[in-house]
Short mmCIF file of all heavy atoms in Angstrom, two decimals:
data_model
loop_
_atom_site.label_atom_id
_atom_site.label_comp_id
_atom_site.label_asym_id
_atom_site.label_seq_id
_atom_site.Cartn_x
_atom_site.Cartn_y
_atom_site.Cartn_z
N MET U 1 -86.94 49.94 185.85
CA MET U 1 -86.95 48.65 186.49
C MET U 1 -87.81 47.65 185.70
O MET U 1 -88.00 46.53 186.12
CB MET U 1 -87.49 48.80 187.91
CG MET U 1 -87.28 47.60 188.74
SD MET U 1 -87.30 48.03 190.45
CE MET U 1 -88.40 46.80 191.05
N ALA U 2 -88.34 48.07 184.57
CA ALA U 2 -89.15 47.18 183.74
C ALA U 2 -88.29 46.06 183.18
O ALA U 2 -87.13 46.26 182.85
CB ALA U 2 -89.79 47.96 182.61
N ASN U 3 -88.86 44.88 183.11
CA ASN U 3 -88.12 43.75 182.56
C ASN U 3 -88.94 42.97 181.53
O ASN U 3 -88.56 41.88 181.14
CB ASN U 3 -87.62 42.83 183.68
CG ASN U 3 -88.73 42.23 184.51
OD1 ASN U 3 -89.89 42.44 184.25
ND2 ASN U 3 -88.34 41.50 185.53
N VAL U 4 -90.06 43.52 181.09
CA VAL U 4 -90.92 42.88 180.10
C VAL U 4 -90.92 43.74 178.85
O VAL U 4 -91.32 44.90 178.88
CB VAL U 4 -92.36 42.70 180.65
CG1 VAL U 4 -93.26 42.11 179.59
CG2 VAL U 4 -92.35 41.81 181.88
N GLY U 5 -90.47 43.17 177.73
CA GLY U 5 -90.39 43.89 176.46
C GLY U 5 -91.73 44.01 175.77
O GLY U 5 -92.75 43.46 176.22
N SER U 6 -91.76 44.71 174.65
CA SER U 6 -93.02 45.00 173.97
C SER U 6 -93.68 43.75 173.38
O SER U 6 -94.90 43.60 173.48
CB SER U 6 -92.81 46.05 172.89
OG SER U 6 -91.85 45.62 171.97
N VAL U 7 -92.93 42.86 172.77
CA VAL U 7 -93.52 41.64 172.21
C VAL U 7 -94.01 40.74 173.35
O VAL U 7 -95.14 40.22 173.30
CB VAL U 7 -92.50 40.88 171.33
CG1 VAL U 7 -93.05 39.54 170.89
CG2 VAL U 7 -92.10 41.72 170.14
N ASP U 8 -93.20 40.59 174.37
CA ASP U 8 -93.58 39.80 175.55
C ASP U 8 -94.83 40.41 176.19
O ASP U 8 -95.76 39.70 176.59
CB ASP U 8 -92.41 39.79 176.53
CG ASP U 8 -92.58 38.80 177.67
OD1 ASP U 8 -93.55 38.02 177.64
OD2 ASP U 8 -91.74 38.81 178.58
N ARG U 9 -94.87 41.71 176.25
CA ARG U 9 -96.00 42.42 176.85
C ARG U 9 -97.29 42.17 176.06
O ARG U 9 -98.34 41.90 176.64
CB ARG U 9 -95.68 43.90 176.88
CG ARG U 9 -96.68 44.74 177.58
CD ARG U 9 -96.22 46.19 177.58
NE ARG U 9 -97.10 46.99 178.39
CZ ARG U 9 -97.07 48.29 178.43
NH1 ARG U 9 -96.18 48.95 177.72
NH2 ARG U 9 -97.91 48.96 179.17
N ALA U 10 -97.21 42.24 174.75
CA ALA U 10 -98.39 42.01 173.90
C ALA U 10 -98.89 40.58 174.04
O ALA U 10 -100.10 40.34 174.14
CB ALA U 10 -98.05 42.32 172.45
N LEU U 11 -97.97 39.62 174.07
CA LEU U 11 -98.37 38.21 174.23
C LEU U 11 -98.99 37.96 175.60
O LEU U 11 -99.98 37.23 175.71
CB LEU U 11 -97.17 37.30 174.01
CG LEU U 11 -96.65 37.23 172.59
CD1 LEU U 11 -95.37 36.40 172.53
CD2 LEU U 11 -97.69 36.67 171.65
N ARG U 12 -98.44 38.56 176.63
CA ARG U 12 -98.99 38.42 177.97
C ARG U 12 -100.40 39.02 178.03
O ARG U 12 -101.30 38.46 178.65
CB ARG U 12 -98.11 39.12 179.01
CG ARG U 12 -96.85 38.38 179.33
CD ARG U 12 -95.94 39.25 180.21
NE ARG U 12 -94.71 38.59 180.49
CZ ARG U 12 -94.51 37.82 181.56
NH1 ARG U 12 -95.45 37.66 182.44
NH2 ARG U 12 -93.36 37.22 181.73
N PHE U 13 -100.57 40.18 177.41
CA PHE U 13 -101.87 40.83 177.42
C PHE U 13 -102.91 39.97 176.70
O PHE U 13 -104.02 39.76 177.20
CB PHE U 13 -101.78 42.22 176.78
CG PHE U 13 -103.03 43.03 176.93
CD1 PHE U 13 -103.30 43.68 178.12
CD2 PHE U 13 -103.95 43.11 175.91
CE1 PHE U 13 -104.46 44.41 178.29
CE2 PHE U 13 -105.11 43.84 176.06
CZ PHE U 13 -105.37 44.50 177.25
N LEU U 14 -102.55 39.47 175.54
CA LEU U 14 -103.46 38.63 174.76
C LEU U 14 -103.82 37.36 175.53
O LEU U 14 -105.00 36.98 175.64
CB LEU U 14 -102.84 38.28 173.42
CG LEU U 14 -103.68 37.42 172.49
CD1 LEU U 14 -104.94 38.16 172.07
CD2 LEU U 14 -102.86 37.05 171.27
N LEU U 15 -102.82 36.69 176.08
CA LEU U 15 -103.07 35.47 176.87
C LEU U 15 -103.92 35.77 178.09
O LEU U 15 -104.82 35.01 178.44
CB LEU U 15 -101.74 34.83 177.28
CG LEU U 15 -101.84 33.55 178.10
CD1 LEU U 15 -102.52 32.45 177.30
CD2 LEU U 15 -100.46 33.11 178.55
N GLY U 16 -103.65 36.90 178.74
CA GLY U 16 -104.43 37.28 179.91
C GLY U 16 -105.90 37.50 179.60
O GLY U 16 -106.78 37.03 180.31
N VAL U 17 -106.17 38.19 178.50
CA VAL U 17 -107.56 38.43 178.09
C VAL U 17 -108.26 37.11 177.79
O VAL U 17 -109.40 36.89 178.21
CB VAL U 17 -107.61 39.39 176.88
CG1 VAL U 17 -108.99 39.42 176.27
CG2 VAL U 17 -107.17 40.79 177.28
N VAL U 18 -107.58 36.23 177.09
CA VAL U 18 -108.18 34.93 176.75
C VAL U 18 -108.46 34.11 178.02
O VAL U 18 -109.54 33.53 178.17
CB VAL U 18 -107.27 34.14 175.78
CG1 VAL U 18 -107.72 32.70 175.65
CG2 VAL U 18 -107.23 34.83 174.43
N LEU U 19 -107.50 34.08 178.92
CA LEU U 19 -107.67 33.29 180.15
C LEU U 19 -108.76 33.85 181.06
O LEU U 19 -109.45 33.09 181.75
CB LEU U 19 -106.35 33.19 180.91
CG LEU U 19 -105.31 32.27 180.30
CD1 LEU U 19 -103.99 32.39 181.06
CD2 LEU U 19 -105.78 30.84 180.29
N VAL U 20 -108.92 35.15 181.07
CA VAL U 20 -109.97 35.74 181.91
C VAL U 20 -111.34 35.55 181.27
O VAL U 20 -112.31 35.24 181.96
CB VAL U 20 -109.67 37.24 182.16
CG1 VAL U 20 -110.87 37.94 182.77
CG2 VAL U 20 -108.46 37.40 183.05
N ALA U 21 -111.45 35.71 179.98
CA ALA U 21 -112.75 35.68 179.31
C ALA U 21 -113.26 34.27 179.00
O ALA U 21 -114.47 34.02 179.08
CB ALA U 21 -112.67 36.49 178.03
N ALA U 22 -112.39 33.37 178.64
CA ALA U 22 -112.80 32.04 178.15
C ALA U 22 -113.69 31.27 179.12
O ALA U 22 -114.72 30.73 178.70
CB ALA U 22 -111.59 31.22 177.76
N PRO U 23 -113.36 31.17 180.41
CA PRO U 23 -114.23 30.40 181.30
C PRO U 23 -115.65 30.97 181.44
O PRO U 23 -116.57 30.25 181.78
CB PRO U 23 -113.51 30.45 182.65
CG PRO U 23 -112.09 30.65 182.29
CD PRO U 23 -112.11 31.54 181.08
N PHE U 24 -115.81 32.26 181.16
CA PHE U 24 -117.13 32.87 181.26
C PHE U 24 -117.88 32.83 179.93
O PHE U 24 -119.11 32.78 179.91
CB PHE U 24 -117.01 34.31 181.77
CG PHE U 24 -116.42 34.39 183.14
CD1 PHE U 24 -115.13 34.84 183.33
CD2 PHE U 24 -117.15 33.99 184.24
CE1 PHE U 24 -114.58 34.91 184.59
CE2 PHE U 24 -116.61 34.05 185.52
CZ PHE U 24 -115.32 34.51 185.70
N LEU U 25 -117.16 32.86 178.84
CA LEU U 25 -117.80 32.82 177.53
C LEU U 25 -118.14 31.40 177.08
O LEU U 25 -119.12 31.18 176.38
CB LEU U 25 -116.91 33.49 176.48
CG LEU U 25 -116.68 34.99 176.67
CD1 LEU U 25 -115.71 35.51 175.63
CD2 LEU U 25 -117.99 35.74 176.59
N PHE U 26 -117.31 30.44 177.47
CA PHE U 26 -117.51 29.05 177.08
C PHE U 26 -117.70 28.20 178.32
O PHE U 26 -116.91 27.31 178.62
CB PHE U 26 -116.30 28.55 176.27
CG PHE U 26 -115.99 29.43 175.09
CD1 PHE U 26 -114.88 30.25 175.09
CD2 PHE U 26 -116.82 29.43 173.98
CE1 PHE U 26 -114.58 31.06 174.01
CE2 PHE U 26 -116.54 30.23 172.89
CZ PHE U 26 -115.41 31.06 172.89
N VAL U 27 -118.77 28.47 179.03
CA VAL U 27 -119.02 27.83 180.33
C VAL U 27 -119.10 26.31 180.19
O VAL U 27 -118.53 25.58 181.00
CB VAL U 27 -120.33 28.38 180.96
CG1 VAL U 27 -120.64 27.67 182.26
CG2 VAL U 27 -120.20 29.87 181.17
N GLU U 28 -119.79 25.82 179.17
CA GLU U 28 -119.96 24.37 179.03
C GLU U 28 -118.64 23.65 178.76
O GLU U 28 -118.46 22.50 179.12
CB GLU U 28 -120.98 24.03 177.93
CG GLU U 28 -120.63 24.54 176.55
CD GLU U 28 -120.95 26.02 176.32
OE1 GLU U 28 -121.67 26.63 177.12
OE2 GLU U 28 -120.46 26.56 175.32
N THR U 29 -117.69 24.34 178.16
CA THR U 29 -116.38 23.74 177.89
C THR U 29 -115.54 23.69 179.16
O THR U 29 -114.84 22.72 179.41
CB THR U 29 -115.64 24.55 176.81
OG1 THR U 29 -116.45 24.62 175.65
CG2 THR U 29 -114.31 23.91 176.47
N PHE U 30 -115.62 24.75 179.96
CA PHE U 30 -114.77 24.85 181.15
C PHE U 30 -115.44 24.33 182.41
O PHE U 30 -114.79 24.20 183.44
CB PHE U 30 -114.32 26.30 181.36
CG PHE U 30 -113.30 26.73 180.35
CD1 PHE U 30 -113.68 27.32 179.15
CD2 PHE U 30 -111.96 26.55 180.59
CE1 PHE U 30 -112.75 27.71 178.22
CE2 PHE U 30 -111.01 26.93 179.66
CZ PHE U 30 -111.41 27.51 178.47
N ALA U 31 -116.73 24.02 182.37
CA ALA U 31 -117.45 23.54 183.56
C ALA U 31 -116.86 22.24 184.12
O ALA U 31 -116.78 22.10 185.34
CB ALA U 31 -118.93 23.36 183.24
N PRO U 32 -116.41 21.29 183.28
CA PRO U 32 -115.82 20.07 183.86
C PRO U 32 -114.56 20.32 184.68
O PRO U 32 -114.16 19.47 185.47
CB PRO U 32 -115.49 19.21 182.63
CG PRO U 32 -116.40 19.70 181.56
CD PRO U 32 -116.58 21.17 181.84
N LEU U 33 -113.94 21.48 184.52
CA LEU U 33 -112.73 21.78 185.30
C LEU U 33 -113.05 22.14 186.74
O LEU U 33 -112.15 22.17 187.58
CB LEU U 33 -111.96 22.93 184.65
CG LEU U 33 -111.35 22.66 183.28
CD1 LEU U 33 -110.71 23.92 182.74
CD2 LEU U 33 -110.32 21.55 183.37
N GLY U 34 -114.30 22.45 187.03
CA GLY U 34 -114.70 22.81 188.39
C GLY U 34 -114.04 24.10 188.82
O GLY U 34 -114.02 25.08 188.09
N VAL U 35 -113.51 24.09 190.04
CA VAL U 35 -112.89 25.31 190.56
C VAL U 35 -111.57 25.64 189.87
O VAL U 35 -111.07 26.76 190.01
CB VAL U 35 -112.68 25.22 192.09
CG1 VAL U 35 -113.99 25.30 192.82
CG2 VAL U 35 -111.93 23.97 192.47
N TRP U 36 -111.01 24.72 189.12
CA TRP U 36 -109.77 24.99 188.40
C TRP U 36 -109.94 26.08 187.35
O TRP U 36 -109.00 26.75 186.97
CB TRP U 36 -109.21 23.73 187.76
CG TRP U 36 -108.57 22.84 188.77
CD1 TRP U 36 -109.10 21.72 189.32
CD2 TRP U 36 -107.30 23.02 189.37
NE1 TRP U 36 -108.23 21.20 190.23
CE2 TRP U 36 -107.10 21.97 190.29
CE3 TRP U 36 -106.30 23.97 189.24
CZ2 TRP U 36 -105.96 21.86 191.05
CZ3 TRP U 36 -105.14 23.85 190.01
CH2 TRP U 36 -104.99 22.80 190.90
N ARG U 37 -111.17 26.27 186.89
CA ARG U 37 -111.38 27.34 185.90
C ARG U 37 -111.11 28.70 186.52
O ARG U 37 -110.70 29.62 185.84
CB ARG U 37 -112.77 27.26 185.30
CG ARG U 37 -113.85 27.53 186.27
CD ARG U 37 -115.20 27.39 185.65
NE ARG U 37 -116.17 27.41 186.74
CZ ARG U 37 -117.42 27.16 186.61
NH1 ARG U 37 -117.90 26.85 185.44
NH2 ARG U 37 -118.22 27.21 187.64
N PHE U 38 -111.33 28.83 187.83
CA PHE U 38 -111.03 30.10 188.50
C PHE U 38 -109.53 30.29 188.66
O PHE U 38 -109.05 31.42 188.73
CB PHE U 38 -111.76 30.18 189.84
CG PHE U 38 -113.25 30.16 189.66
CD1 PHE U 38 -113.99 29.09 190.09
CD2 PHE U 38 -113.90 31.20 189.02
CE1 PHE U 38 -115.36 29.05 189.91
CE2 PHE U 38 -115.27 31.18 188.82
CZ PHE U 38 -116.00 30.10 189.27
N ALA U 39 -108.79 29.20 188.71
CA ALA U 39 -107.33 29.30 188.71
C ALA U 39 -106.86 29.85 187.37
O ALA U 39 -105.90 30.63 187.31
CB ALA U 39 -106.70 27.95 188.99
N LEU U 40 -107.52 29.46 186.28
CA LEU U 40 -107.19 30.02 184.96
C LEU U 40 -107.47 31.51 184.92
O LEU U 40 -106.69 32.28 184.36
CB LEU U 40 -107.99 29.31 183.87
CG LEU U 40 -107.63 27.86 183.59
CD1 LEU U 40 -108.58 27.27 182.56
CD2 LEU U 40 -106.20 27.75 183.11
N VAL U 41 -108.58 31.92 185.53
CA VAL U 41 -108.90 33.35 185.59
C VAL U 41 -107.84 34.10 186.40
O VAL U 41 -107.38 35.17 186.00
CB VAL U 41 -110.31 33.58 186.18
CG1 VAL U 41 -110.57 35.05 186.42
CG2 VAL U 41 -111.37 32.98 185.27
N ALA U 42 -107.42 33.52 187.51
CA ALA U 42 -106.38 34.15 188.33
C ALA U 42 -105.07 34.27 187.56
O ALA U 42 -104.38 35.30 187.63
CB ALA U 42 -106.17 33.35 189.61
N TRP U 43 -104.72 33.23 186.82
CA TRP U 43 -103.52 33.27 186.00
C TRP U 43 -103.64 34.36 184.95
O TRP U 43 -102.68 35.08 184.67
CB TRP U 43 -103.27 31.90 185.36
CG TRP U 43 -102.02 31.77 184.57
CD1 TRP U 43 -100.86 32.47 184.73
CD2 TRP U 43 -101.80 30.89 183.47
NE1 TRP U 43 -99.94 32.06 183.80
CE2 TRP U 43 -100.49 31.10 183.01
CE3 TRP U 43 -102.58 29.95 182.83
CZ2 TRP U 43 -99.96 30.40 181.95
CZ3 TRP U 43 -102.04 29.25 181.78
CH2 TRP U 43 -100.74 29.48 181.35
N GLY U 44 -104.81 34.51 184.37
CA GLY U 44 -105.05 35.56 183.39
C GLY U 44 -104.89 36.94 184.00
O GLY U 44 -104.33 37.84 183.37
N VAL U 45 -105.38 37.12 185.21
CA VAL U 45 -105.24 38.42 185.89
C VAL U 45 -103.77 38.72 186.15
O VAL U 45 -103.32 39.86 185.98
CB VAL U 45 -106.06 38.43 187.21
CG1 VAL U 45 -105.73 39.63 188.06
CG2 VAL U 45 -107.54 38.37 186.90
N VAL U 46 -103.00 37.72 186.55
CA VAL U 46 -101.57 37.91 186.76
C VAL U 46 -100.88 38.30 185.45
O VAL U 46 -100.05 39.21 185.41
CB VAL U 46 -100.92 36.64 187.37
CG1 VAL U 46 -99.41 36.73 187.34
CG2 VAL U 46 -101.42 36.42 188.78
N MET U 47 -101.24 37.63 184.36
CA MET U 47 -100.66 37.96 183.06
C MET U 47 -101.00 39.39 182.65
O MET U 47 -100.14 40.12 182.14
CB MET U 47 -101.15 36.98 181.98
CG MET U 47 -100.57 35.62 182.15
SD MET U 47 -98.82 35.77 182.30
CE MET U 47 -98.21 34.61 181.24
N LEU U 48 -102.24 39.80 182.87
CA LEU U 48 -102.63 41.17 182.55
C LEU U 48 -101.87 42.17 183.42
O LEU U 48 -101.41 43.21 182.93
CB LEU U 48 -104.13 41.36 182.75
CG LEU U 48 -105.03 40.74 181.70
CD1 LEU U 48 -106.49 40.82 182.14
CD2 LEU U 48 -104.84 41.42 180.37
N GLY U 49 -101.70 41.85 184.69
CA GLY U 49 -100.96 42.74 185.59
C GLY U 49 -99.50 42.90 185.18
O GLY U 49 -98.97 44.01 185.18
N THR U 50 -98.86 41.80 184.82
CA THR U 50 -97.46 41.90 184.41
C THR U 50 -97.33 42.62 183.07
O THR U 50 -96.34 43.31 182.83
CB THR U 50 -96.79 40.52 184.31
OG1 THR U 50 -97.51 39.70 183.40
CG2 THR U 50 -96.71 39.85 185.67
N ALA U 51 -98.35 42.52 182.22
CA ALA U 51 -98.31 43.25 180.95
C ALA U 51 -98.51 44.74 181.17
O ALA U 51 -97.83 45.56 180.55
CB ALA U 51 -99.39 42.71 180.01
N ILE U 52 -99.41 45.10 182.06
CA ILE U 52 -99.69 46.51 182.31
C ILE U 52 -98.52 47.20 183.00
O ILE U 52 -98.11 48.30 182.62
CB ILE U 52 -100.98 46.65 183.13
CG1 ILE U 52 -102.18 46.24 182.27
CG2 ILE U 52 -101.15 48.07 183.65
CD1 ILE U 52 -103.47 46.07 183.05
N PHE U 53 -97.97 46.56 184.02
CA PHE U 53 -96.90 47.19 184.80
C PHE U 53 -95.50 46.92 184.26
O PHE U 53 -94.52 47.49 184.76
CB PHE U 53 -97.00 46.76 186.27
CG PHE U 53 -98.25 47.23 186.92
CD1 PHE U 53 -99.23 46.34 187.31
CD2 PHE U 53 -98.48 48.58 187.12
CE1 PHE U 53 -100.40 46.76 187.91
CE2 PHE U 53 -99.64 49.03 187.72
CZ PHE U 53 -100.61 48.13 188.11
N ARG U 54 -95.38 46.03 183.27
CA ARG U 54 -94.11 45.69 182.62
C ARG U 54 -93.06 45.14 183.59
O ARG U 54 -91.87 45.26 183.36
CB ARG U 54 -93.54 46.90 181.89
CG ARG U 54 -94.44 47.37 180.77
CD ARG U 54 -93.82 48.45 179.96
NE ARG U 54 -92.64 47.89 179.30
CZ ARG U 54 -91.67 48.63 178.81
NH1 ARG U 54 -91.72 49.93 178.91
NH2 ARG U 54 -90.65 48.07 178.22
N ILE U 55 -93.53 44.53 184.67
CA ILE U 55 -92.62 43.94 185.65
C ILE U 55 -93.08 42.52 185.94
O ILE U 55 -94.24 42.29 186.30
CB ILE U 55 -92.60 44.74 186.96
CG1 ILE U 55 -92.07 46.15 186.71
CG2 ILE U 55 -91.77 44.04 188.01
CD1 ILE U 55 -92.19 47.06 187.90
N CYS U 56 -92.18 41.56 185.76
CA CYS U 56 -92.49 40.16 186.05
C CYS U 56 -91.60 39.71 187.21
O CYS U 56 -90.37 39.68 187.08
CB CYS U 56 -92.24 39.29 184.82
SG CYS U 56 -92.54 37.54 185.13
N PRO U 57 -92.19 39.39 188.36
CA PRO U 57 -91.39 38.95 189.50
C PRO U 57 -90.55 37.70 189.21
O PRO U 57 -89.42 37.58 189.70
CB PRO U 57 -92.43 38.66 190.59
CG PRO U 57 -93.61 39.48 190.20
CD PRO U 57 -93.60 39.51 188.70
N ALA U 58 -91.07 36.78 188.41
CA ALA U 58 -90.29 35.58 188.06
C ALA U 58 -89.07 35.95 187.24
O ALA U 58 -88.00 35.36 187.41
CB ALA U 58 -91.16 34.58 187.31
N TYR U 59 -89.22 36.91 186.33
CA TYR U 59 -88.08 37.38 185.55
C TYR U 59 -87.03 38.00 186.47
O TYR U 59 -85.83 37.83 186.26
CB TYR U 59 -88.52 38.41 184.51
CG TYR U 59 -89.12 37.84 183.24
CD1 TYR U 59 -89.42 36.50 183.11
CD2 TYR U 59 -89.37 38.67 182.16
CE1 TYR U 59 -89.98 36.00 181.94
CE2 TYR U 59 -89.93 38.18 181.00
CZ TYR U 59 -90.23 36.85 180.89
OH TYR U 59 -90.76 36.36 179.73
N MET U 60 -87.47 38.75 187.47
CA MET U 60 -86.52 39.35 188.43
C MET U 60 -85.75 38.27 189.18
O MET U 60 -84.55 38.39 189.38
CB MET U 60 -87.26 40.23 189.44
CG MET U 60 -87.65 41.56 188.93
SD MET U 60 -88.37 42.47 190.30
CE MET U 60 -89.00 43.86 189.41
N LEU U 61 -86.45 37.24 189.57
CA LEU U 61 -85.84 36.15 190.33
C LEU U 61 -84.73 35.47 189.54
O LEU U 61 -83.67 35.15 190.09
CB LEU U 61 -86.91 35.13 190.73
CG LEU U 61 -86.48 33.96 191.59
CD1 LEU U 61 -85.99 34.45 192.94
CD2 LEU U 61 -87.62 32.99 191.76
N PHE U 62 -84.96 35.27 188.24
CA PHE U 62 -83.99 34.58 187.40
C PHE U 62 -83.09 35.52 186.60
O PHE U 62 -82.25 35.06 185.83
CB PHE U 62 -84.71 33.62 186.45
CG PHE U 62 -85.40 32.49 187.17
CD1 PHE U 62 -86.78 32.43 187.23
CD2 PHE U 62 -84.66 31.51 187.82
CE1 PHE U 62 -87.41 31.40 187.90
CE2 PHE U 62 -85.28 30.48 188.49
CZ PHE U 62 -86.66 30.43 188.54
N GLY U 63 -83.27 36.83 186.76
CA GLY U 63 -82.42 37.79 186.06
C GLY U 63 -82.70 37.88 184.56
O GLY U 63 -81.80 38.17 183.78
N ILE U 64 -83.93 37.64 184.16
CA ILE U 64 -84.30 37.68 182.74
C ILE U 64 -84.86 39.05 182.40
O ILE U 64 -85.60 39.65 183.18
CB ILE U 64 -85.35 36.59 182.43
CG1 ILE U 64 -84.80 35.21 182.74
CG2 ILE U 64 -85.83 36.68 180.99
CD1 ILE U 64 -85.84 34.11 182.68
N ARG U 65 -84.51 39.55 181.21
CA ARG U 65 -85.06 40.81 180.69
C ARG U 65 -85.41 40.59 179.23
O ARG U 65 -84.60 40.08 178.48
CB ARG U 65 -84.05 41.93 180.76
CG ARG U 65 -83.62 42.31 182.15
CD ARG U 65 -82.59 43.41 182.06
NE ARG U 65 -83.18 44.59 181.48
CZ ARG U 65 -83.59 45.65 182.18
NH1 ARG U 65 -83.45 45.63 183.46
NH2 ARG U 65 -84.12 46.68 181.59
N THR U 66 -86.60 41.00 178.84
CA THR U 66 -86.97 40.92 177.43
C THR U 66 -87.09 42.31 176.81
O THR U 66 -87.51 42.43 175.68
CB THR U 66 -88.29 40.15 177.24
OG1 THR U 66 -89.33 40.79 177.98
CG2 THR U 66 -88.15 38.70 177.68
N CYS U 67 -86.76 43.34 177.58
CA CYS U 67 -86.78 44.69 177.03
C CYS U 67 -85.35 45.22 176.94
O CYS U 67 -84.44 44.69 177.57
CB CYS U 67 -87.62 45.61 177.91
SG CYS U 67 -86.96 45.92 179.54
N ALA U 68 -85.20 46.26 176.15
CA ALA U 68 -83.88 46.87 175.99
C ALA U 68 -83.45 47.52 177.31
O ALA U 68 -84.28 48.00 178.07
CB ALA U 68 -83.93 47.92 174.89
N ALA U 69 -82.17 47.53 177.57
CA ALA U 69 -81.64 48.06 178.82
C ALA U 69 -81.96 49.53 179.00
O ALA U 69 -82.15 50.01 180.11
CB ALA U 69 -80.13 47.84 178.90
N GLY U 70 -82.04 50.29 177.93
CA GLY U 70 -82.31 51.72 178.02
C GLY U 70 -83.75 52.04 178.38
O GLY U 70 -84.06 53.14 178.76
N LYS U 71 -84.67 51.09 178.24
CA LYS U 71 -86.07 51.33 178.51
C LYS U 71 -86.47 51.02 179.94
O LYS U 71 -87.62 51.12 180.30
CB LYS U 71 -86.95 50.52 177.55
CG LYS U 71 -86.82 50.95 176.13
CD LYS U 71 -87.84 50.27 175.28
CE LYS U 71 -87.75 50.80 173.86
NZ LYS U 71 -88.88 50.41 173.05
N ALA U 72 -85.53 50.63 180.76
CA ALA U 72 -85.84 50.25 182.13
C ALA U 72 -86.18 51.45 182.99
O ALA U 72 -85.83 52.52 182.82
CB ALA U 72 -84.69 49.50 182.74
#
């Protein structure tokens, strides 16, 4: 039932790590965003979750697959 391919998975993982870590590592840069920086962290957690489980609910909704059919 997986619908996230290996390249997509790697990009999601990388983006997720950056989004989770950046607001805490560069506080002075992200401080003007206020509570929106926590929305970035939440988005990062979602990206990490979809990378780990290889399932993207939005892809399911639109019928998109970035992995080979045999790997599902």
Side-chain angles (χ1 to χ4, degrees):
M1 192 157 132
N3 61 3
V4 176
S6 58
V7 173
D8 191 7
R9 186 178 187 190
L11 291 174
R12 285 172 182 268
F13 188 80
L14 181 64
L15 180 63
V17 168
V18 168
L19 287 173
V20 168
F24 298 107
L25 294 176
F26 306 107
V27 177
E28 60 280 347
T29 304
F30 287 90
L33 293 176
V35 289
W36 284 101
R37 66 182 169 189
F38 297 112
L40 291 176
V41 172
W43 184 28
V45 169
V46 169
M47 290 309 227
L48 286 171
T50 58
I52 291 169
F53 296 112
R54 297 186 64 199
I55 297 172
C56 178
Y59 279 9
M60 282 185 189
L61 183 64
F62 294 110
I64 300 171
R65 296 178 64 101
T66 58
C67 67
K71 294 189 176 192

